[in-house]
Amino acid sequence: MKILILGAGKMGSFFCDLLSFDHEVAVYDPDIKRLRFMFNCRRFSSIEETESFLPDLVINAATVKFTLEAFNKVMPYLPEKTILSDIASVKTGLKEFYEKCGHPYVSTHPMFGPTFASLSNLSHENAIIISEGDHLGKVFFRDLYNRLHLHIEEYTFDQHDLTIAYSLSIPFASTLVFASNMKHQDAPGTTFKRHLAIANGLMSEDDYLLSEILFNPHTPHQLQRISDKLTELKEIVETHDNERMKKFLDNVRSNLK
């Protein structure tokens, strides 16, 4: 299969390394410096160069801010049969784009950012495949993710956004609140250091990505849940209510099972 990858960032490089020994792979990135270390593939720094490649599949690994822009740039140079795909963690606007693009498509979300995951061992990581999409495209990514020993779930676009609001917005918001109140510690405890490592990892992500995940329409409901629990915990602490504290902690332990 001929595969064109849009974007030579961390995830684009990861997919190039993963696919280039079994498929004919080309990578496009307008920043030629990012193509220097791309191995075993054709490298395009001009979008016009992609016209002669005639890919069977396009994997859009551009950053979230430029996902739709990257698709729109490459579309004039693609055969009609080319399957379009994205790996974006934020699907805003993609469903509408795919429905009008005139190409078969598949949308997935490998839920392992290069910041936290060990890309050499993904057996404890997850991936989502969007159910609306081309059958052959979904089979390709299911086989690929099975090779990586990922746990795979299949959701609709709407179910994906709801899941991401829960699984990303809550830890993102909680970490941001922690970090925004953080002060330097000369002798930090183990728990503090672990939270600090998570916060540093989160803040190394792209600001646009963080914003778009938090701007998910389902996020305000999740933030309200956080706010309600903080209010409840604050009341328990202020009143030194041991009975309510025990119930609160029992509920937390129950949630973690």
Side-chain angles (χ1 to χ4, degrees), residues 196-246:
L196 180 60
I198 293 172
N200 282 324
L202 181 66
M203 298 315 298
S204 71
E205 298 286 0
D206 179 75
D207 287 359
Y208 186 88
L209 172 64
L210 298 178
S211 298
E212 286 301 295
I213 287 173
L214 291 171
F215 290 164
N216 183 320
H218 299 285
T219 296
H221 172 68
Q222 302 298 342
L223 292 180
Q224 185 60 54
R225 293 177 62 202
I226 294 174
S227 178
D228 291 344
K229 285 299 178 182
L230 280 174
T231 299
E232 179 183 356
L233 183 59
K234 181 172 178 288
E235 290 174 356
I236 293 171
V237 171
E238 287 177 340
T239 58
H240 292 196
D241 192 325
N242 288 308
E243 184 175 345
R244 285 185 67 193
M245 177 60 81
K246 185 179 186 311

Side-chain angles (χ1 to χ4, degrees), residues 56-234:
D56 301 299
L57 172 70
V58 171
I59 299 177
N60 191 335
T63 57
V64 172
K65 184 178 181 179
F66 299 110
T67 301
L68 290 175
E69 181 181 329
F71 271 141
N72 287 324
K73 284 181 68 176
V74 78
M75 287 278 285
Y77 306 101
L78 300 177
E80 290 185 5
K81 65 179 179 63
T82 300
I83 300 173
L84 303 183
S85 72
D86 74 274
I87 55 170
S89 55
V90 178
K91 303 298 185 185
T92 305
L94 282 168
K95 180 180 180 180
E96 295 77 12
F97 168 80
Y98 283 134
E99 289 173 346
K100 298 177 181 178
C101 72
H103 284 262
Y105 71 88
V106 58
S107 183
T108 76
H109 180 185
M111 297 183 68
F112 50 88
T115 299
F116 294 112
S118 171
L119 297 183
S120 61
N121 181 14
L122 298 170
S123 59
H124 298 293
E125 305 294 343
N126 304 288
I128 293 172
I129 297 175
I130 302 300
S131 58
E132 301 112 315
D134 178 76
H135 173 70
L136 292 179
K138 290 192 290 184
V139 168
F140 173 84
F141 277 98
R142 183 171 289 277
D143 288 345
L144 179 65
Y145 293 155
N146 277 326
R147 279 173 47 199
L148 297 173
H149 306 292
L150 295 168
H151 171 74
I152 303 169
E153 292 287 348
E154 188 165 317
Y155 296 149
T156 66
F157 277 108
D158 290 339
Q159 288 172 330
H160 172 272
D161 289 348
L162 183 61
T163 299
I164 295 308
Y166 172 77
S167 64
L168 292 185
S169 295
I170 287 181
F172 278 24
S174 300
T175 300
L176 289 172
V177 170
F178 162 77
S180 64
N181 285 281
M182 191 179 64
K183 294 181 180 179
H184 174 74
Q185 300 287 314
D186 291 324
T190 301
T191 302
F192 182 91
K193 287 190 287 187
R194 288 177 178 174
H195 278 281
L196 180 60
I198 293 172
N200 282 324
L202 181 66
M203 298 315 298
S204 71
E205 298 286 0
D206 179 75
D207 287 359
Y208 186 88
L209 172 64
L210 298 178
S211 298
E212 286 301 295
I213 287 173
L214 291 171
F215 290 164
N216 183 320
H218 299 285
T219 296
H221 172 68
Q222 302 298 342
L223 292 180
Q224 185 60 54
R225 293 177 62 202
I226 294 174
S227 178
D228 291 344
K229 285 299 178 182
L230 280 174
T231 299
E232 179 183 356
L233 183 59
K234 181 172 178 288

Side-chain angles (χ1 to χ4, degrees), residues 16-58:
C16 180
D17 291 343
L18 186 64
L19 297 167
S20 62
F21 287 95
D22 297 314
H23 303 276
E24 186 177 350
V25 173
V27 181
Y28 163 72
D29 196 297
D31 185 353
I32 194 170
K33 292 180 180 179
R34 303 183 81 183
L35 294 167
R36 286 180 299 178
F37 304 109
M38 303 302 289
F39 175 70
N40 199 35
C41 67
R42 295 176 65 179
R43 296 177 288 183
F44 301 142
S45 60
S46 167
I47 195 68
E48 290 79 11
E49 294 178 87
T50 64
E51 185 171 15
S52 63
F53 186 61
L54 302 176
D56 301 299
L57 172 70
V58 171

